[in-house]
Structure formats: C-alpha cells, structure tokens
Amino acid sequence: ALKLSEAEIIRRKNKTCPVVILDDILSELDQTRRNFVINNIDKSQVFITCCEKSNKEQLKDGKIFLLNNGEVS
C-alpha cells in the first residue's frame, strides 16, 4: 500500500506515470489481496515478480515473462 501511495503522489505532483516494481509481494498476501494487486492496479506500468507459477492464473490482463536459467520467454 505504501508503494502504491508513493506512486500516486509522484503521478499527481510530477504529472508523470511512474513505473512500479513490486518484488515478491504476492507471497505475503492472502488470496483476496493477491487478486487485487494483480488485477486492480492501474495508471502505472507495474512489474511484479513472484516465485509461484500459480499466481499467473489469477491475471486477467497483462503480460507474463518467465525467466528460466537466464532465458526470458
């Protein structure tokens, strides 16, 4: 919540759309909050890293990049 609030302040103050990087936050959230983070953050370009493949099944829109042994697919 703090990072998303910070991005909103930057957006309003600088009139720019910040890139938000959230590193492995999904493992700390329950299912409801995980779904919210994945599908309801807008007005920013958001990169979310996670370790569980099952998290991608909740994604309604967006792109998934898989990194495996240094190869991106």
Side-chain angles (χ1 to χ4, degrees), residues 33-50:
R33 288 179 179 87
R34 199 175 304 139
N35 186 51
F36 176 82
V37 168
I38 290 175
N39 293 304
N40 294 306
I41 298 174
D42 58 359
K43 300 179 187 173
S44 294
Q45 184 172 4
V46 180
F47 290 89
I48 301 173
T49 65
C50 63

Side-chain angles (χ1 to χ4, degrees), residues 19-23 45-49 65:
V19 175
V20 178
I21 301 172
L22 303 172
D23 184 33
Q45 184 172 4
V46 180
F47 290 89
I48 301 173
T49 65
F65 298 93

Side-chain angles (χ1 to χ4, degrees), residues 55-68:
N55 288 321
K56 71 181 183 180
E57 284 133 20
Q58 300 168 2
L59 184 65
K60 295 176 187 169
D61 191 22
K63 294 184 180 181
I64 297 172
F65 298 93
L66 178 63
L67 181 63
N68 190 16

